[in-house]
């Protein structure tokens, strides 16, 4: 079998933004499940949940169909609903804001620390809290742990729940504890471009037994027994005790997840090496900067994203097209949520740092099996693109 055939869009890039590794182990894991004849949620999902909980140092892990489903269920289980407000960073993927709104609560957007730290700003979180605030959904931007100590402290003083959007942060830690394990619940995504890719999938981790039981109910229609238990003859009937969803993960993806989980530490270390090389080649060069300090004893990153901050406004678009012409795919993480039509329509808070930073950030290719010459191609490409784009800006 040929393993290096890319039939998707990746073939047209010399350096794609992200990429998955296809090998025999992952193909065998999937084909074993297919051969078993049990494809929907069952023993492989349970095994994946147990392994994930152990890796996170949490009592429970509940596998779901996506990171968005994880956030949705965590919000519902935390009791968020109509009349509530939930604070969430605007420099973020839109999923958390959408599911906050779906729960009936209102997302209240908060600002970013600054160009050296793209995580949410604790002072602005504090400023965003009002009498209706019920929870904070924190993000570990790019896999770099946010100031979770400050967030937990704010939450304790204001009697709020903390939900961690750890979509970027599997394997990241803060003071030796895994990201995702600090709040009431931690939510992970296994989308193809994330650090633990299976296609589509997610996980919620928590130490709370009751919350875990509630999440399992909501994941599967609010039904008291599962198809797998009935299949094994453990149960003949069921009751429905909540208005649930079908947010289950299937066995094929759980089998891929088990393989990817075993590789996570090595893969994250490979990402870290590439980011270190980017830092060496780009940080401080011609006004470019790379946010976040290198790992220290306080925080260890999962290095989900490689982001540079550009020295001027107006460089993003020309640099992106220059790099595209050279086969280098880039992105912007993220266009701020409070500027999207759906959310700009509501009266909101001023978020000057997010507005400013979103015009300056550029995300570079990053995936564990990037070859050295690809990394060097990106570094040279970015420095050349910056020069070209600046020439274009001159009057
Ligand atoms: C990817 C992502 C999600 C959503 O995960 P899906 O699995 O795609 O639903 C949520 N939040 C952040 C920050 C993400 O990057």
């Amino acid at each position: 079998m040929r393993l290096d055939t890319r039939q998707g869009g990746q073939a047209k890039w010399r350096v794609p933004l992200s990429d998955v590794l296809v090998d025999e182990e992952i193909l065998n894991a999937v084909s074993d499940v297919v051969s078993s004849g049990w494809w929907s949620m069952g023993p492989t999902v349970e095994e994946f949940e147990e392994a994930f909980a152990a890796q996170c140092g949490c009592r429970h892990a509940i596998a779901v169909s996506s990171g968005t489903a994880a956030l949705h269920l965590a919000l519902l289980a935390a009791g968020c609903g109509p009349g509530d407000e939930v604070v969430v960073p605007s420099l973020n993927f839109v999923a958390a804001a959408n599911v906050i709104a779906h729960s009936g609560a209102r997302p209240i957007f908060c600002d970013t620390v600054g160009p050296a730290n793209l995580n949410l700003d604790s002072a602005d979180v504090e400023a965003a809290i009002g009498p209706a605030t019920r929870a904070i959904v924190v993000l570990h931007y790019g896999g770099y742990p946010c100031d979770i100590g400050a967030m937990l402290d704010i939450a304790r003083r204001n009697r709020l729940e903390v939900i961690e959007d750890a979509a970027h942060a599997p394997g990241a830690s803060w003071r030796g504890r895994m990201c995702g394990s600090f709040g009431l619940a931690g939510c992970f995504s296994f989308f193809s471009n994330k650090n633990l890719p299976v296609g589509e999938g997610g996980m919620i981790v928590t130490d709370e037994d009751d919350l875990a039981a509630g999440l399992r109910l909501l994941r599967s229609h609010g039904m008291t027994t599962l198809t797998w238990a009935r299949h094994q003859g453990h149960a003949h009937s069921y009751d429905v005790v909540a208005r649930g969803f079908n947010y289950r993960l299937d066995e094929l993806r759980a089998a891929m997840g088990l393989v990817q989980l075993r590789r996570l530490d090595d893969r994250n270390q490979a990402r870290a090496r590439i980011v270190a090389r980017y830092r060496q080649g780009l940080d401080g060069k011609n006004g470019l900067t790379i946010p976040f300090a290198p790992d220290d004893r306080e925080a260890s990153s999962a290095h989900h994203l490689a982001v540079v901050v550009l020295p001027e406004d107006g460089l993003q678009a020309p640099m992106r097209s220059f790099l595209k012409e050279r086969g280098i795919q880039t992105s912007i993480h993220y266009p701020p949520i409070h500027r999207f039509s759906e959310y700009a329509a509501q009266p909101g808070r001023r978020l000057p740092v997010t507005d400013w930073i979103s015009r300056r950030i550029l995300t570079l290719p990053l995936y564990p099996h990037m070859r050295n010459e690809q990394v060097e191609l990106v570094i040279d490409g970015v420095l050349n693109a910056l020069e070209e784009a600046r020439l274009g800006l001159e009057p």
Side-chain angles (χ1 to χ4, degrees):
M1 183 176 303
R2 286 180 55 197
L3 298 179
D4 57 353
T5 304
R6 289 288 194 279
Q7 282 162 5
Q10 303 300 46
K12 76 170 201 261
W13 297 105
R14 287 171 82 188
V15 195
L17 191 65
S18 84
D19 190 31
V20 293
L21 189 71
V22 184
D23 64 7
E24 291 289 348
E25 194 184 10
I26 207 100
L27 290 168
N28 289 340
V30 174
S31 104
D32 287 351
V33 169
V34 172
S35 308
S36 82
W38 189 266
W39 296 351
S40 42
M41 196 171 75
T44 315
V45 169
E46 265 177 44
E47 196 186 331
F48 183 34
E49 290 178 335
E50 278 164 28
F52 200 91
Q55 191 261 0
C56 253
C58 286
R59 282 173 61 79
H60 305 280
I62 296 96
V64 290
S65 52
S66 70
T68 308
L71 287 163
H72 192 195
L73 293 192
L75 286 158
L76 295 176
C80 296
D84 294 331
E85 292 181 350
V86 178
V87 178
V88 62
S90 177
L91 193 70
N92 191 351
F93 186 56
V94 73
N98 279 343
V99 293
I100 290 165
H102 278 304
S103 79
R106 211 183 120 191
I108 304 293
F109 297 107
C110 68
D111 216 350
T112 310
V113 178
N117 180 349
L118 305 183
N119 271 311
L120 73 178
D121 177 26
S122 56
D124 198 58
V125 167
E126 199 117 36
I129 292 170
T133 311
R134 181 179 273 270
I136 312 168
V137 179
V138 305
L139 171 69
H140 303 292
Y141 178 102
Y144 294 86
C146 72
D147 189 353
I148 189 73
M151 299 302 156
L152 294 172
D153 182 55
I154 292 169
R156 206 174 301 118
R157 281 189 279 107
N158 293 278
R159 294 163 187 266
L160 308 175
E161 302 293 359
V162 172
I163 294 169
E164 292 175 76
D165 184 341
H168 298 177
S173 61
W174 188 80
R175 294 191 183 163
R177 229 173 107 177
M178 302 307 282
C179 286
S181 72
F182 292 96
L184 176 70
C187 301
F188 294 87
S189 165
F190 307 138
F191 184 65
S192 303
N193 67 10
K194 301 289 161 73
N195 290 37
L196 198 162
V198 309
E200 300 281 0
M203 191 75 81
I204 314 165
V205 294
T206 182
D207 280 333
E208 305 287 326
D209 298 348
D210 290 348
L211 193 86
L215 290 166
R216 288 184 194 285
L217 272 176
L218 288 174
R219 170 177 65 178
S220 196
H221 307 289
M223 286 163 62
T224 52
T225 64
L226 297 172
T227 323
W228 174 244
R230 288 198 299 283
H231 175 73
Q232 289 179 304
H234 297 331
H236 298 287
S237 186
Y238 60 85
D239 191 13
V240 172
V241 295
R243 283 177 218 161
F245 304 86
N246 176 0
Y247 278 170
R248 293 182 305 256
L249 189 72
D250 64 49
E251 293 282 276
L252 285 72
R253 288 174 178 82
M256 293 175 80
L258 277 164
V259 174
Q260 303 288 38
L261 183 62
R262 283 198 292 274
R263 299 170 168 186
L264 182 65
D265 282 346
D266 281 352
R267 294 283 166 91
N268 282 354
Q269 277 166 32
R271 287 172 177 274
R273 284 193 293 273
I274 295 162
V275 170
R277 176 64 195 122
Y278 276 155
R279 202 176 279 284
Q280 200 181 32
L282 295 172
D283 194 22
K285 302 276 157 64
N286 303 332
L288 283 172
T289 58
I290 294 198
F292 298 104
D295 280 3
D296 53 25
R297 253 184 291 162
E298 181 97 323
S300 166
S301 174
H303 297 285
H304 174 57
L305 299 175
V307 175
V308 292
V309 177
L310 306 177
E312 289 156 52
D313 285 2
L315 294 170
Q316 255 175 358
M319 282 182 72
R320 290 194 68 193
S321 44
F322 179 94
L323 289 164
K324 185 180 173 187
E325 276 168 30
R326 277 147 192 81
I328 298 168
Q329 190 180 22
T330 59
S331 187
I332 307 293
H333 290 86
Y334 292 91
I337 304 174
H338 74 283
R339 295 291 175 193
F340 287 133
S341 308
E342 176 65 18
Y343 294 101
Q346 317 174 1
R349 308 179 60 250
R350 283 190 65 248
L351 304 172
V353 182
T354 302
D355 283 330
W356 177 83
I357 212 92
S358 65
R359 296 192 301 268
R360 296 285 185 92
I361 44 180
L362 180 68
T363 307
L364 307 181
L366 179 60
Y367 50 92
H369 51 286
M370 254 179 106
R371 297 189 310 274
N372 289 339
E373 61 268 27
Q374 289 177 305
V375 179
E376 299 309 318
L377 207 63
V378 174
I379 292 171
D380 289 346
V382 168
L383 293 174
N384 289 334
L386 177 57
E387 234 166 84
E388 292 283 323
R390 271 182 157 160
L391 288 176
L393 285 189
E394 277 172 14

